[in-house]
DNA sequence: ATGGTATTTGCAATAGACTTGCAACAATGA
DNA sequence: TCATTGTTGCAAGTCTATTGCAAATACCAT
């Protein structure tokens, strides 16, 4: 756990939203923390390996975001199409559906992704 | 509807799987149809606008695939992690869940993406 | 502390999907 | 036929992310 990695972790802690590598880079620049964008990517890789961080690849965004794992279980997200707000959905409604799909397709299902988009309360 | 666009449409018709721009390009090359990769991208854009083609951005693939819309309604997909087989799921299990999420988050939901991965019957 | 090893970092270059500018070409139609 | 419009190919560019490599840093046994 180097100084640099501490800085990234600290940023994730004080950030409520999932952040992209570029956002981490820009934010740390502003805070006068010298860090290369490549190092951000490599740091995120390490933090994922350590199980401290989750990587989110939301649909249509064309980049990855990261959030602290903390105690978070498997969950999904909803994103506002106007302001980009991302909110955790704590339920996963797909357990029964998974069994149905296994029957219908003869696949063995081992993962899924689910994401909603819409308008947040502010943007309506 | 130019010769080139006809060739792309014909390829989509005889292809069972959703195909990427590069796959369309390679396949047409093999069939001695002269076409530029840029033209493939622009053609897919046009065919989408015309409502003839659906664009799929499956999770973790890092590229777009295209399938004929034909009569297809809103639907989802399951992909085999070994061989890449993609199968249509004809059900959408999210209508009730959407209402629940609107209540919980105060968002107005207007779209969602859902995708399963697993092992197809051949690869188990 | 000191020296030696392993890890981490920055910079430059690269990869890969996709887009854009522009000029040549083809189709359309008065 | 000529002018206007739409389509294509090539080159170059964008954007996120990765890789090679050498310099800097951290770590550890002496
Ligand atoms: Mn989350
Ligand atoms: Mn489909
Ligand atoms: Zn789930
Ligand atoms: Zn659906």
């Amino acid at each position: 756990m180097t100084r640099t990695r501490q800085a990234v972790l600290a940023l994730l802690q004080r950030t409520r939203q999932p952040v992209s590598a570029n956002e981490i880079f820009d934010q740390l620049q502003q805070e006068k923390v010298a860090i290369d964008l490549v190092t951000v990517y490599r740091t995120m890789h390490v933090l994922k390996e350590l199980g401290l961080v989750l990587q989110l690849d939301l649909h249509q965004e064309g980049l990855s975001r990261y959030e602290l794992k903390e105690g978070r279980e498997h969950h999904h997200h909803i994103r506002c199409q106007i302001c980009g707000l991302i909110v955790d959905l704590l339920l996963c409604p797909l357990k029964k559906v998974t069994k149905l799909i296994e029957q219908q397709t003869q696949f063995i299902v081992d993962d899924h992704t689910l994401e909603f988009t819409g308008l947040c309360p502010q943007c309506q």
Side-chain angles (χ1 to χ4, degrees), chain A:
Chain A
M1 264 313 127
T2 63
R3 213 172 313 281
T4 306
R5 291 177 182 171
Q6 304 273 10
V8 172
L9 264 182
L11 173 57
L12 288 171
Q13 271 152 3
R14 89 183 76 101
T15 307
R16 291 150 190 256
Q17 288 288 296
V19 284
S20 69
N22 253 302
E23 287 169 353
I24 293 170
F25 176 71
D26 290 343
Q27 189 60 40
L28 290 181
Q29 293 281 93
Q30 281 190 2
E31 298 171 15
K32 312 294 182 194
V33 178
I35 188 173
D36 193 273
L37 181 56
V38 175
T39 302
V40 175
Y41 281 111
R42 288 197 272 231
T43 300
M44 299 329 286
H45 184 80
V46 169
L47 296 179
K48 265 192 298 174
E49 298 283 286
L50 292 174
L52 297 176
V53 156
L54 293 173
Q55 178 173 346
L56 274 63
D57 295 283
L58 299 187
H59 199 246
Q60 300 284 16
E61 280 219 310
L63 51 74
S64 293
R65 295 185 175 279
Y66 306 89
E67 66 180 353
L68 276 189
K69 184 160 181 188
E70 286 171 336
R72 268 181 268 246
E73 296 299 315
H74 167 83
H75 67 287
H76 300 287
H77 298 91
I78 184 166
R79 195 180 82 248
C80 177
Q81 289 178 337
I82 306 290
C83 71
L85 175 72
I86 296 166
V87 174
D88 282 353
L89 302 174
L90 299 177
L91 74 163
C92 174
L94 296 177
K95 276 142 199 163
K96 286 176 195 162
V97 175
T98 295
K99 291 201 173 171
L100 189 60
I101 287 169
E102 287 187 327
Q103 287 172 15
Q104 286 189 352
T105 64
Q106 303 298 314
F107 272 60
I108 294 172
V109 174
D110 56 41
D111 203 10
H112 62 251
T113 62
L114 170 62
E115 182 196 333
F116 293 84
T117 54
L119 301 180
C120 76
Q122 306 294 336
C123 290
Q124 286 171 26

